[in-house]
């Protein structure tokens, strides 16, 4: 299975975008504050050089954030940007009213920026930055602050400390939840991979034990890792039994039901009637009164072919079975019986295969490969007519499935009756194929 690197790439891209987006907001506010102070008479400008120096610092941080976006390895130095912002806000504050500036509230943005990172140290760093912002005016213009001013500075520092603590704690809980979700996802993906492996292992991989008069080929291309389709074959008396089933839905749930259907059919090898075999399946799925199983239904085609070419079959609402005669003519094997999970009984029917006849059963996902208009069946039948052997039929369908994504499982089973031929000891083509 190819590793899905999409989420990793998107995560890296979003992280490289984040510093630029954050700094754009901070720099925009600082520039707007300087412009407003320069143009509006009721906003004082006490030191233009300091004010525009603050703007320059903020824009310098924006340039560095742009460099981080272009060179993601610079993310390690991301926290230098809000560090510069503390100085920029301090200079803006000194230049627009000294300790009485109305723009001090901007300091909350770099505080949250730093505190949102994991680790308790990211509570301390904003406090150091806040202290630099609050004390910078007294460094640029040494004076002794009044007692009330000291109290105001202390309150501002405590408020920033509280904001940093709350932000850091929320970020820690969010990170913990993300870690738990990622672990659960990895476990679920591992379970799905194991389920797909088990389902694949249950498909027949050899024709050993089957009559040499039968050439068999089959394939399943699931829409997801685990599919609801299956096919099977196994020796049965003097001949062999073949099954193709399609469980409503896709994914692990449908795959589990498909496995159960296959197991019950195999266990009913000694039943005299193939219709009775499907009744066993219906009874097995309806036992226990499960709402989940009662809401599911399975279409299924089951046939036993003897050495003499006599084919006894039962169809539980499947209807996608074609007998291609040796002369190229096509016969549809149909019944009015309902799917397993809906119907209660299934009739057994008999068809005789002549030398060179091929019995083909498909899931409805195969027809989806040939379009969704009135000529879908015509195109499918034309493809059958162009193929010579059962393996050619299977290869043609699986090749078409590989050309593009398909929303439903694609499963095909083909059996050719050749009483005078000697079949190879290994299958011409069998397997589970991923899209």
């Amino acid at each position: 299975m190819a590793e899905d690197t999409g989420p990793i790439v998107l995560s890296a891209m979003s992280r490289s975008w984040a510093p630029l987006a954050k700094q754009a907001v901070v720099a925009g506010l600082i520039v707007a504050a300087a412009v407003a102070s320069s143009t509006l008479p009721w906003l004082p400008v006490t030191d233009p050089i300091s004010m525009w120096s603050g703007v320059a610092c903020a824009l310098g941080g924006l340039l560095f954030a742009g460099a981080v976006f272009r060179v993601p390895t610079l993310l390690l130095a991301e926290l230098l940007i809000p560090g510069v912002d503390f100085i920029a806000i301090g200079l803006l504050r000194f230049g627009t009213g000294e300790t009485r500036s109305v723009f001090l509230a901007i300091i909350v943005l770099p505080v949250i920026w730093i505190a949102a990172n994991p680790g308790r140290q990211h509570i301390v760093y904003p406090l150091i930055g806040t202290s630099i912002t609050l004390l910078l005016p007294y460094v640029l213009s040494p004076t002794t602050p009044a007692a009330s001013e000291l109290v105001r500075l202390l309150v501002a520092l405590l408020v920033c400390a509280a904001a940093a603590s709350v932000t850091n704690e929320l970020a820690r809980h969010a990170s913990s939840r993300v870690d738990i979700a990622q672990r659960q996802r990895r476990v679920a993906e591992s379970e799905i991979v194991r389920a797909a492996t088990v389902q694949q292992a249950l498909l027949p991989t050899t024709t050993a034990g089957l009559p040499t008069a039968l050439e068999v080929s089959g394939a399943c291309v699931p829409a997801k890792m685990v599919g609801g389709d299956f096919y099977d074959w196994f020796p049965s008396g003097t001949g062999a039994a073949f099954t193709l089933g399609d469980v409503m839905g896709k994914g692990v749930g449908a795959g589990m039901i498909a496995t159960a259907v296959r197991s019950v059919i195999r266990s009913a090898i000694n039943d005299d009637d193939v219709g009775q075999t499907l009744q066993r399946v219906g009874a097995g799925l309806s036992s226990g009164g499960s709402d989940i199983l009662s809401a599911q239904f399975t279409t299924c085609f089951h046939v036993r072919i003897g050495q003499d070419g006599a084919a006894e079959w039962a169809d539980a609402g499947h209807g996608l079975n074609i007998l291609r005669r040796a002369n190229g003519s096509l016969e549809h094997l149909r019944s009015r019986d309902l799917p397993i999970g809906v119907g209660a009984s299934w009739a057994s029917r008999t068809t005789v295969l002549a030398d060179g006849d091929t019995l083909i059963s498909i899931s409805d996902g195969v027809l989806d490969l040939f379009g969704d208009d009135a000529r879908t069946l015509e195109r499918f039948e034309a493809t059958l007519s162009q193929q010579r052997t059962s393996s050619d039929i299977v290869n043609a369908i699986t090749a078409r499935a590989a050309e593009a994504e398909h929303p439903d499982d694609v499963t095909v089973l083909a059996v050719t009756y050749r009483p005078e031929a000697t079949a190879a000891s290994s299958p011409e083509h069998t397997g589970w194929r991923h899209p």
Side-chain angles (χ1 to χ4, degrees):
M1 181 186 64
E3 183 179 357
D4 183 7
T5 59
I8 298 175
V9 173
L10 290 176
S11 176
M13 290 180 63
S14 62
R15 286 185 62 200
S16 60
W17 261 108
L20 184 60
K22 295 174 186 176
Q23 185 59 19
V25 174
V26 177
L29 289 174
I30 292 177
V31 170
V35 172
S37 297
S38 300
T39 56
L40 300 177
W42 58 83
L43 292 176
V45 177
T46 53
D47 190 328
I49 295 177
S50 296
M51 181 183 71
W52 292 111
S53 295
V55 171
C57 287
L59 293 177
L62 185 62
L63 290 175
F64 184 74
V68 169
F69 171 69
R70 293 182 176 275
V71 186
T73 54
L74 293 178
L75 274 172
L76 297 174
E78 175 191 348
L79 295 185
L80 291 177
I81 304 172
V84 171
D85 288 338
F86 284 118
I87 299 175
I89 296 169
L91 292 170
L92 175 68
R93 178 171 176 252
F94 181 72
T96 57
E98 296 182 351
T99 59
R100 296 176 300 281
S101 174
V102 298
F103 301 116
L104 179 61
I106 299 176
I107 198 174
V108 73
L109 297 179
V111 167
I112 294 176
W113 185 340
I114 297 176
N117 290 276
R120 299 301 186 185
Q121 72 274 16
H122 292 108
I123 298 176
V124 178
Y125 297 158
L127 298 184
I128 296 174
T130 301
S131 300
I132 292 173
T133 299
L134 296 176
L135 297 177
L136 190 57
Y138 300 102
V139 175
L140 298 175
S141 179
T143 57
T144 302
S148 60
E149 181 63 18
L150 289 175
V151 172
R152 194 167 72 89
L153 294 178
L154 180 61
V155 170
L157 188 63
L158 291 176
V159 169
C160 289
S165 298
V166 171
T167 302
N168 188 262
E169 186 67 16
L170 292 175
R172 189 180 69 85
H173 282 292
S175 179
S176 177
R177 288 194 293 269
V178 169
D179 289 340
I180 292 173
Q182 289 177 340
R183 286 197 297 269
Q184 291 175 340
R185 177 186 174 184
R186 286 193 293 269
V187 170
E189 288 176 345
S190 177
E191 292 296 331
I192 290 174
V193 170
R194 282 197 287 268
T197 301
V198 171
Q199 191 175 39
Q200 179 181 0
L202 291 175
L203 294 177
T205 59
T206 177
T207 56
L210 300 186
T212 57
L214 300 176
E215 296 177 359
V216 187
S217 186
C220 180
V221 186
K224 296 185 176 181
M225 284 291 296
V226 181
D229 288 3
F230 74 96
Y231 66 89
D232 193 21
W233 62 69
F234 53 91
S236 175
T238 60
F242 304 89
T243 308
L244 189 143
D246 185 353
V247 180
M248 180 188 71
K250 296 178 284 293
V252 175
M256 293 176 66
I257 295 176
T259 301
V261 172
R262 170 192 177 276
S263 299
V264 174
I265 290 177
R266 277 189 167 243
S267 68
I269 187 174
N270 294 322
D271 286 348
D272 294 331
D273 185 89
V274 292
Q276 182 181 354
T277 297
L278 296 186
Q279 286 182 305
R280 285 181 181 271
V281 175
L285 293 182
S286 64
S287 63
S290 170
D291 292 336
I292 296 177
L293 290 179
S294 62
Q296 294 277 2
F297 66 84
T298 302
T299 65
C300 184
F301 175 72
H302 182 58
V303 59
R304 295 176 187 172
I305 304 176
Q307 295 270 22
D308 57 355
E312 182 189 10
W313 57 274
D315 188 315
H318 192 66
L320 299 176
N321 317 296
I322 296 178
L323 179 59
R324 188 184 71 177
R325 294 295 184 179
N327 60 8
S329 63
L330 300 177
E331 299 177 13
H332 290 267
L333 304 184
R334 303 185 186 276
S335 78
R336 296 184 179 180
D337 293 339
L338 297 174
I340 299 170
V342 180
S345 62
W346 294 270
S348 174
R349 295 168 172 80
T350 302
T351 299
V352 178
L353 275 64
D355 187 12
D357 290 351
T358 300
L359 179 61
I360 304 107
S361 183
I362 61 172
S363 65
D364 54 3
V366 172
L367 291 182
D368 293 339
L369 302 176
F370 294 87
D372 57 355
D373 53 32
R375 298 189 59 194
T376 297
L377 187 59
E378 179 183 339
R379 286 190 288 267
F380 169 66
E381 292 178 347
T383 298
L384 292 184
S385 300
Q386 295 167 5
Q387 311 308 315
R388 190 171 147 274
T389 65
S390 57
S391 61
D392 289 341
I393 294 172
V394 171
N395 287 334
I397 293 175
T398 53
R400 196 179 186 99
E403 292 175 355
E405 293 186 3
H406 42 90
D408 203 356
D409 302 331
V410 172
T411 304
V412 56
L413 174 67
V415 185
T416 300
Y417 179 61
R418 298 189 186 280
E420 298 181 359
T422 301
S425 59
S426 60
E428 297 179 35
H429 166 74
T430 63
W432 173 280
R433 297 189 179 182
H434 294 288

